[in-house]
Every structure is written in structure tokens, then in C-alpha cells.
Amino acid sequence: MTAGSTTHVTHEFGPIWDDRSRVLILGSIPSPSSREAGFYYMFPHNRFWPVLAALFDQPVPEPDPAVRARFALNHCIALWDVIQECDIHGASDASITNVVPTDIAGLLDRVPIGTIFTTGRKAGQLYRRYCLPILQEKRYRPTMINLPSTSPANAAMSLADLIKEYQPIRKALDDKEPKSDRQDNHNHYEK
């Protein structure tokens, strides 16, 4: 449903996870390209997949949802978004209104996620506003780290800068003990 230049968007695909997932990476809501493909970070110029590939010293997975899902799961990474539905203009996170959050607590009921990463300032803000209170109410205390956006709109950051900023993902996965009972909600990226 469209009202002017704003579209009501419903997240039409669920989280990617399995019982080995240790970190959860959350975007805000899928871009039009991702909604069309039915998978996460599918806009060709988004640098999410090149960044993850560099973290694990592997080639960038081909732009096929099954291949990218397998890549994430092989590295114990779950993927989802903060928003289940909202009104948005194109792919502009700044235009997001009328938010209905995803059921992150329901996912944490099924998998022992120790660290949640949000990609981009808006995803972090929306997580804190809509998801964190629910998680706290249910006594979930995952570490939350806000990372910079990999969107081409974040042109101020080079690929090398993003790879450096995304190192906490690798560190969280390399830690031997899950930290799912700890609350440490900080913003790694404030620009």
C-alpha cells in the first residue's frame, strides 16, 4: 500500500539461524533489492557480504540466497532485521515510521545468541527503542554492538574501514564462552 512516496513494508522472509548461531546481525528492514530477492543485503553495491568475506578470509559469496545463507550459518552467524513492518520511502532508513518490531526474544528462546550486532545507526536506535525493552522484560541480556552501515549511502567509510569496524563480529565468534547472560549495550559507532 502506498501513500504518496511512502510505502508500507512487511518483512516477508524470516531469520536465518541454526542451533550453532552465536551472533545475530540485525539490519533495519530489507532494502527494495533485498525484498525482491527475498534475502538479506542483496543490493549489489551494499558492502555487507564483502566485509563478512574479508573477516573470514574467504571469497565473497555469490549473490544467491542459499549460498549466502550457508556462508552465514557456516560462520555461526544469524541474520534478521529489527523491523517486521513499517512505512518507508524507498530504502531511506531516515524515513522509517510506524514500526512493528520483529520477535527477537522469540528467536533467543530458540538459539543461544551471545552478541547482537546492528548495522547502521538507525538499526541501533530502533533496536534500543523497540526490541531492547522486550528483551529486558524477558531477562535476556545479550551484548549489543552497533556497527556502521555497509550501505553505499555511507560513502565516508571505505571497505577497509568497514572491515576494521566489523572485527568485533570475529572477536565475538572467537570467544570461547557465550555471553548471553550479560548486558553490555554500547554503541561501537557513533558517527
Side-chain angles (χ1 to χ4, degrees):
M1 189 181 298
T2 302
S5 60
T6 300
T7 303
H8 185 79
V9 174
T10 299
H11 202 306
E12 295 186 1
F13 48 97
I16 301 300
W17 65 279
D18 66 18
D19 59 358
R20 298 173 305 135
S21 298
R22 303 229 358 249
V23 303
L24 172 60
I25 300 176
L26 297 169
S28 54
I29 187 100
S31 69
S33 296
S34 294
R35 291 193 302 268
E36 184 178 318
F39 199 71
Y40 301 93
Y41 304 98
M42 295 300 279
F43 182 63
H45 301 291
N46 189 301
R47 297 166 291 173
F48 180 81
W49 293 105
V51 168
L52 277 192
L55 288 181
F56 297 102
D57 196 26
Q58 294 191 337
V60 177
E62 63 183 86
D64 174 284
V67 170
R68 289 184 171 182
R70 195 165 40 255
F71 181 94
L73 295 174
N74 285 344
H75 294 290
C76 303
I77 295 171
L79 300 172
W80 207 5
D81 286 303
V82 173
I83 301 171
Q84 181 60 40
E85 58 183 278
C86 68
D87 295 330
I88 188 170
H89 176 68
S92 172
D93 279 2
S95 73
I96 292 172
T97 59
N98 301 318
V99 171
V100 175
T102 54
D103 182 18
I104 294 170
L107 179 62
L108 297 185
D109 287 342
R110 298 177 280 174
V111 62
I113 297 295
T115 307
I116 294 175
F117 294 92
T118 55
T119 60
R121 185 181 315 148
K122 188 68 169 188
Q125 290 170 347
L126 293 168
Y127 169 86
R128 282 186 200 91
R129 181 172 179 187
Y130 295 102
C131 301
L132 184 58
I134 296 166
L135 293 176
Q136 289 174 331
E137 183 179 302
K138 293 187 175 207
R139 302 199 184 278
Y140 283 115
R141 305 277 188 253
T143 298
M144 184 278 212
I145 298 172
N146 189 216
L147 299 171
S149 174
T150 55
S151 164
N154 185 13
M157 294 203 80
S158 69
L159 181 60
D161 292 337
L162 288 169
I163 293 166
K164 182 179 176 189
E165 292 293 325
Y166 274 62
Q167 289 298 320
I169 294 171
R170 187 63 193 257
K171 183 179 180 331
L173 290 167
D174 289 344
D175 284 346
K176 301 296 182 217
E177 294 297 317
K179 296 181 175 108
S180 59
D181 62 352
R182 186 176 128 213
Q183 176 146 3
D184 183 15
N185 294 308
H186 67 282
N187 188 351
H188 187 70
Y189 183 70
E190 281 292 345
K191 294 181 184 174

